C-alpha cells in the first residue's frame, strides 16, 4: 500500500460527459502529480500541484482541469469526454517540490476510465 | 526538452540475470529513478541514483553514468513474478515532475 488513495477505481461513462477523479496523497506529502496511461503507452504527465499551487503542466488538454485543496487532496476534472480519453489515470505524491533521495513519487492504484 | 530511451521488450529465463538499459538526455540532471509496473497496476519505486556508480538492493541493482547519460537496472535470480514493465524516470532541476520513459516490458519464461 503506497498510502496514495484514488477514487473511484473504475469509471464507465459516455462521450460528451464530465467526470471527476479524486486523489488523497500520502500523509505529509505536499506534491500531487497526475498522469495518464493509455493502453500500452507510457506515463504521460498531466499536471503537478505543490501545497495548493499549480507548479507544472504537461500535455494536458484544455478539456481537463485540476486543483489541489487546502487539505492537499486533489481532483482531476475531465469534460466533453471522447473515446480517446479512455485510459488509466494515476495520481502520485511526494513530500517536497521535487522527488529526490528517500523522497520518490509514490503512486495510487489509479482510476480506470472507460468511455463508451 | 528531455529524451529517455529504453528497449520496448525483453525476454529472460527464470533464474537468470537481465540488464535493462536506459539512456537519457536532459539539462540540470537531478536524479534517475526506476519503477516496476505490473500490467494494470500502479508503478512501484525500485531505486534512485544521483551519483555515478552502482546501488544494490537485494536482487535488484541500478547503475548510473552521468557523463554518458546512461543507466541500467540489473535483475538477478529472475522469478516469474518479475514479469512486468520497468520504467526509467529522470528528474531535473528545472521541471518539477519526473519524466518517464515508455518502459521496458520484461517477460520471464521457464
Amino acid at each position: 500500500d503506497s498510502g496514495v488513495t484514488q477514487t473511484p477505481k473504475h469509471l464507465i461513462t459516455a462521450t460528451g460527459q464530465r467526470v471527476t477523479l479524486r486523489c488523497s496523497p500520502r500523509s505529509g506529502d505536499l506534491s500531487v502529480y497526475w498522469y495518464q496511461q493509455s493502453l500500452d503507452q507510457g506515463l504521460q504527465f498531466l499536471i503537478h500541484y505543490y501545497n495548493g499551487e499549480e507548479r507544472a503542466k504537461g500535455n494536458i488538454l484544455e478539456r481537463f482541469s485540476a486543483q489541489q485543496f487546502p487539505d492537499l487532496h486533489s481532483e482531476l476534472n475531465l469534460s466533453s469526454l471522447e473515446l480517446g480519453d479512455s485510459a488509466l489515470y494515476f495520481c502520485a505524491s511526494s513530500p517536497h517540490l521535487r522527488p529526490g533521495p528517500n523522497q520518490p513519487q509514490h503512486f495510487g492504484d489509479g482510476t480506470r476510465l472507460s468511455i463508451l | 526538452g528531455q529524451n529517455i530511451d529504453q528497449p520496448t521488450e525483453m525476454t529472460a529465463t527464470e533464474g537468470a540475470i537481465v540488464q535493462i538499459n536506459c539512456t537519457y538526455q536532459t539539462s540540470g540532471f537531478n536524479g534517475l529513478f526506476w519503477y516496476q509496473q505490473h500490467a494494470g497496476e500502479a508503478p512501484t519505486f525500485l531505486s534512485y541514483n544521483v551519483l555515478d556508480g552502482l546501488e544494490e538492493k537485494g536482487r535488484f541493482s541500478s547503475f548510473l553514468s552521468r557523463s554518458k547519460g546512461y543507466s541500467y537496472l540489473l535483475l538477478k535470480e529472475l522469478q516469474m513474478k518479475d514479469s512486468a514493465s520497468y520504467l526509467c524516470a529522470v528528474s531535473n532541476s528545472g521541471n518539477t515532475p519526473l519524466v518517464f520513459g515508455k518502459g521496458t516490458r520484461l517477460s520471464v519464461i521457464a
Side-chain angles (χ1 to χ4, degrees), chain A residues 69-87:
Chain A
F69 295 88
D71 68 352
L72 301 176
H73 91 271
S74 178
E75 293 181 355
L76 178 67
N77 301 296
L78 315 177
S79 62
S80 303
L81 286 168
E82 301 175 359
L83 293 176
D85 298 328
S86 294

Side-chain angles (χ1 to χ4, degrees), chain A residues 95-111:
Chain A
H96 303 302
L97 186 58
R98 294 184 182 84
N102 300 318
Q103 302 163 14
Q105 288 181 195
H106 290 278
F107 285 78
D109 289 338
T111 293

Side-chain angles (χ1 to χ4, degrees), chain B residues 83-97:
Chain B
S83 293
S85 287
Y86 291 87
L87 311 177
C88 171
V90 172
S91 174
N92 70 46
S93 56
N95 296 329
T96 53

Side-chain angles (χ1 to χ4, degrees), chain A residues 7-26:
Chain A
T7 57
K9 292 193 184 308
H10 303 277
L11 202 49
I12 301 174
T13 189
T15 55
Q17 295 299 303
R18 172 190 168 92
V19 296
T20 297
L21 312 183
R22 182 188 168 100
C23 170
S24 294
R26 292 192 336 154

Side-chain angles (χ1 to χ4, degrees), chain A:
Chain A
D1 181 13
S2 69
V4 180
T5 304
Q6 288 189 248
T7 57
K9 292 193 184 308
H10 303 277
L11 202 49
I12 301 174
T13 189
T15 55
Q17 295 299 303
R18 172 190 168 92
V19 296
T20 297
L21 312 183
R22 182 188 168 100
C23 170
S24 294
R26 292 192 336 154
S27 178
D29 284 1
L30 298 178
S31 274
V32 169
Y33 312 82
W34 286 97
Y35 290 87
Q36 179 193 56
Q37 188 174 44
S38 302
L39 193 63
D40 292 333
Q41 295 294 309
L43 283 166
Q44 298 295 317
F45 167 68
L46 295 178
I47 199 162
H48 170 213
Y49 280 86
Y50 175 76
N51 204 21
E53 292 189 12
E54 181 187 303
R55 294 307 300 241
K57 248 181 179 177
N59 298 322
I60 187 167
L61 300 171
E62 285 191 12
R63 301 183 285 110
F64 296 2
S65 65
Q67 54 185 327
Q68 187 180 28
F69 295 88
D71 68 352
L72 301 176
H73 91 271
S74 178
E75 293 181 355
L76 178 67
N77 301 296
L78 315 177
S79 62
S80 303
L81 286 168
E82 301 175 359
L83 293 176
D85 298 328
S86 294
L88 261 173
Y89 290 83
F90 287 107
C91 167
S93 74
S94 64
H96 303 302
L97 186 58
R98 294 184 182 84
N102 300 318
Q103 302 163 14
Q105 288 181 195
H106 290 278
F107 285 78
D109 289 338
T111 293
R112 183 175 295 279
L113 177 63
S114 299
I115 312 299
L116 303 180

